[in-house]
């Protein structure tokens, strides 16, 4: 994953920008007046002495873009619930199924993940096994998932790209983790010797947030229903129910001149995963369809103020470079609702909106999904 440092803002620029933003906030969209009494983010409790640092050797978590205004919200789950890198290494072996065994019981006895065992033996749901059956147990390092842990926190603890963990474990939409799962941890990235170095090198990208930001559910726990207001703050480690089906069709998130298009761009031919729309600072950014906010923050330095919405049927939309975020994680939104105000945060070349659409993990050209007029 590439990383680019965010641009700094000086005090003079902020003094000019903030009054203009305040004038552009749609009626009823302003944050809770109690925001001035919101307590700053708290440092997570001290970790056990044998726990690798979650963000590098005694470093603070990567700072969000300070130029992005947002409604009061707790730290994201991967900061509030850091992961202890205590994966157990097991050797490949053969297990003979005992009477009364379930696949989960075999996983508990061997230390491997039940999903990995199922894949290695060609088992499919409902994963029936019989006494005397010989099961190949795949070796490797397995991390036991605890309640509230996220894929991002797991990846950061081991200094492994979350996308590699997704691939190694065959995870698919909706990428739900549950307490008690054992996920296979691929080998460490070459060239980084310690867990602290690997954790410090970890940087978020959109794919991480789409597939690895949801906290793990405990046991038979059900996800919490979405909130209707940004004033209702949900716990960062609380899993949120997401839409299963897409309702209606997609609409444009803003009207403006398209200054970058989907696909290969520039002399390098590097693929661009969305479109960019030039907009005056403070222009309302609209939800493209009904959905639930999966992320609202500014921890991806290239994109600055960022909102990600899940819509069901595997669809996700991404809105970047915002100057002000008007929603928070877990909030239900309607098509056409103002979710943010445009800006030039992150590495924007001008005041603009970065807009992506994804089906599962695959970026889709928004032009083919949006109305022609």
């Amino acid at each position: 994953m590439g990383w680019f440092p965010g641009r700094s803002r000086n005090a003079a620029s902020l003094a000019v920008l903030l009054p203009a933003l305040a004038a552009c906030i749609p009626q009823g969209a302003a944050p809770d007046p109690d925001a001035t009494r919101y307590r700053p983010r708290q440092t997570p409790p001290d970790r056990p002495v044998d726990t690798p640092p979650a963000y590098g050797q005694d470093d603070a978590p990567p700072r969000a873009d300070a130029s992005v205004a947002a409604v009061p919200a707790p730290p994201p789950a991967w900061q509030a619930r850091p992961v202890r890198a205590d994966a157990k290494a097991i050797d490949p072996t053969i297990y003979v199924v005992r009477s009364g065994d379930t696949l989960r019981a075999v996983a508990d006895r061997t230390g491997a993940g039940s999903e990995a065992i199922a894949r290695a033996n060609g088992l499919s749901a409902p994963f029936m096994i019989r006494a005397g059956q010989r099961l190949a147990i795949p070796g490797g390092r397995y991390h036991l998932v605890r309640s509230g842990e996220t894929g991002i926190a797991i990846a950061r603890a081991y200094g492994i790209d979350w996308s590699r963990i997704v691939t190694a474990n065959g995870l698919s939409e909706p990428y739900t983790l549950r307490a008690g799962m054992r996920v296979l941890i691929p080998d460490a990235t070459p060239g980084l010797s310690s867990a602290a170095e690997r954790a410090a090198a970890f940087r978020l990208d959109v794919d991480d947030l789409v597939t690895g930001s949801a906290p793990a559910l405990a046991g038979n726990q059900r996800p919490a229903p979405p909130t209707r207001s940004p004033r209702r703050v949900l716990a960062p480690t609380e899993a949120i129910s997401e839409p299963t089906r897409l309702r209606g069709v997609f609409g444009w998130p803003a009207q403006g001149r398209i200054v970058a298009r989907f696909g290969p761009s520039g002399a390098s031919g590097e693929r661009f995963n969305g479109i960019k729309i030039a907009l005056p600072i403070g222009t309302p950014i609209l939800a493209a369809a009904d959905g639930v906010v999966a992320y609202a923050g500014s921890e991806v330095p290239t994109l600055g103020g960022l909102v990600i919405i899940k819509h069901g049927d595997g669809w996700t939309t991404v809105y970047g470079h915002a100057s002000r975020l008007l929603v928070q994680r877990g909030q239900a939104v309607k098509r056409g609702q103002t979710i943010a105000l445009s800006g030039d945060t992150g590495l924007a070349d001008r005041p603009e909106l970065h807009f992506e659409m994804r089906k599962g993990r695959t970026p889709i050209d928004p032009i083919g999904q949006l109305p022609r007029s």
Side-chain angles (χ1 to χ4, degrees):
M1 300 180 189
W3 174 79
F4 303 89
R7 298 182 305 168
S8 62
R9 295 281 191 271
N10 58 39
S13 297
L14 284 175
V16 173
L17 177 60
L18 291 178
L21 286 178
C24 294
I25 298 175
Q27 186 175 2
D32 188 345
D34 289 341
T36 55
R37 295 195 295 272
Y38 180 72
R39 299 181 66 184
R41 292 183 175 182
Q42 300 297 310
T43 303
D46 290 340
R47 297 180 297 272
V49 293
D50 56 348
T51 302
Y55 307 105
Q57 190 69 35
D58 296 325
D59 286 338
R63 290 191 61 187
D65 190 330
S67 66
V68 178
V71 296
W78 51 92
Q79 292 181 19
R81 182 69 168 88
V83 165
R84 179 176 175 178
D86 57 358
K88 305 296 184 185
I90 67 167
D91 295 324
T93 186
I94 297 295
Y95 178 88
V96 179
V97 177
R98 307 174 189 178
S99 178
D101 270 349
T102 62
L103 191 61
R104 175 55 65 87
V106 173
D108 289 341
R109 288 199 177 102
T110 61
S114 55
E115 294 83 0
I117 298 172
R119 288 196 306 277
N121 293 274
L123 304 178
S124 57
F127 307 112
M128 299 297 295
I129 55 178
R130 64 184 185 279
Q133 184 176 357
R134 295 169 64 84
L135 296 176
I137 307 300
R141 293 188 301 159
Y142 289 91
H143 173 83
L144 179 65
V145 178
R146 280 83 166 184
S147 176
E149 292 184 351
T150 61
I152 291 172
I154 293 171
R156 180 168 277 162
Y158 293 97
I160 303 293
D161 286 352
W162 171 240
S163 59
R164 291 183 60 200
I165 299 178
V166 169
T167 300
N169 290 273
L171 301 180
S172 58
E173 185 77 25
Y175 312 102
T176 301
L177 297 178
R178 287 192 173 272
M181 282 180 65
R182 289 179 174 85
V183 294
L184 180 65
I185 305 298
D187 291 337
T189 304
L192 299 174
S193 58
S194 71
E197 287 175 332
R198 294 192 298 273
F202 185 90
R203 293 294 181 268
L204 288 178
D205 67 10
V206 170
D207 187 68
D208 293 327
L209 295 171
V210 170
T211 63
S213 61
L217 292 165
N220 294 323
Q221 175 189 3
R222 297 176 64 87
T227 176
R228 297 290 175 181
S229 168
R231 295 183 177 89
R232 182 185 164 204
V233 179
L234 300 171
T237 55
E238 190 170 20
I240 306 298
S241 179
E242 298 175 354
T244 55
R245 307 292 297 180
L246 172 66
R247 296 181 58 186
V249 296
F250 290 104
W252 284 88
Q255 295 295 324
R257 182 169 60 93
I258 297 177
V259 293
R261 292 183 176 270
F262 182 90
S265 61
S268 67
E270 183 177 357
R271 187 177 185 84
F272 185 59
N273 288 331
I275 60 175
K276 287 186 183 291
I277 304 173
L279 299 169
I281 287 181
T283 301
I285 298 172
L286 313 179
D290 293 1
V292 174
V293 177
Y295 175 80
S298 54
E299 278 84 13
V300 178
T302 56
L303 293 178
L306 179 66
V307 176
I308 297 177
I309 301 177
K310 297 284 187 76
H311 301 283
D313 287 325
W315 284 103
T316 302
T317 52
V318 179
Y319 314 74
H321 301 316
S323 60
R324 189 175 189 91
L325 308 178
L326 303 177
V327 293
Q328 67 165 300
R329 172 186 170 269
Q331 183 178 341
V333 295
K334 293 290 188 180
R335 173 182 166 173
Q337 179 178 337
T338 300
I339 58 173
L341 300 181
S342 65
D344 58 354
T345 58
L347 292 185
D349 295 329
R350 58 179 70 80
E352 61 189 9
L353 168 64
H354 172 105
F355 180 66
E356 294 184 25
M357 299 182 69
R358 296 187 177 220
K359 190 76 160 69
R361 298 177 68 189
T362 305
I364 304 293
D365 187 353
I367 299 299
Q369 306 297 322
L370 299 173
R372 291 187 178 275
S373 58

